[in-house]
Amino acid sequence: MNKQLIALMRESLNCQKIMIGHRAENAVAGHLYDSLGFKRVSEELIDGEVVRVLT
């Protein structure tokens, strides 16, 4: 379902990039976003969160 939502955002909203953030201690979220292809934008936390982008 997550991959379907990403595809829908790309097609109907013409999203070129999707950015998402999560708390560093939330390893489950980190693994999920990794599995969907999101990459960290920085090794440093931004406003207390790990920020990831999917291009």
Side-chain angles (χ1 to χ4, degrees):
M1 182 160 140
N2 294 321
K3 290 182 181 183
Q4 291 173 333
L5 179 58
I6 291 169
L8 179 65
M9 290 174 69
R10 288 185 188 275
E11 293 167 10
S12 43
L13 300 175
N14 196 30
C15 290
Q16 302 298 313
K17 292 181 185 178
I18 301 171
M19 294 188 79
I20 197 159
H22 65 89
R23 297 283 176 198
E25 62 272 10
N26 190 345
V28 173
H31 291 300
L32 172 64
Y33 301 139
D34 279 340
S35 75
L36 294 171
F38 284 83
K39 304 295 180 202
R40 284 183 77 146
V41 298
S42 172
E43 288 301 314
E44 295 181 27
L45 298 180
I46 301 171
D47 290 332
E49 293 191 332
V50 175
V51 176
R52 297 176 184 266
V53 66
L54 181 64
T55 55

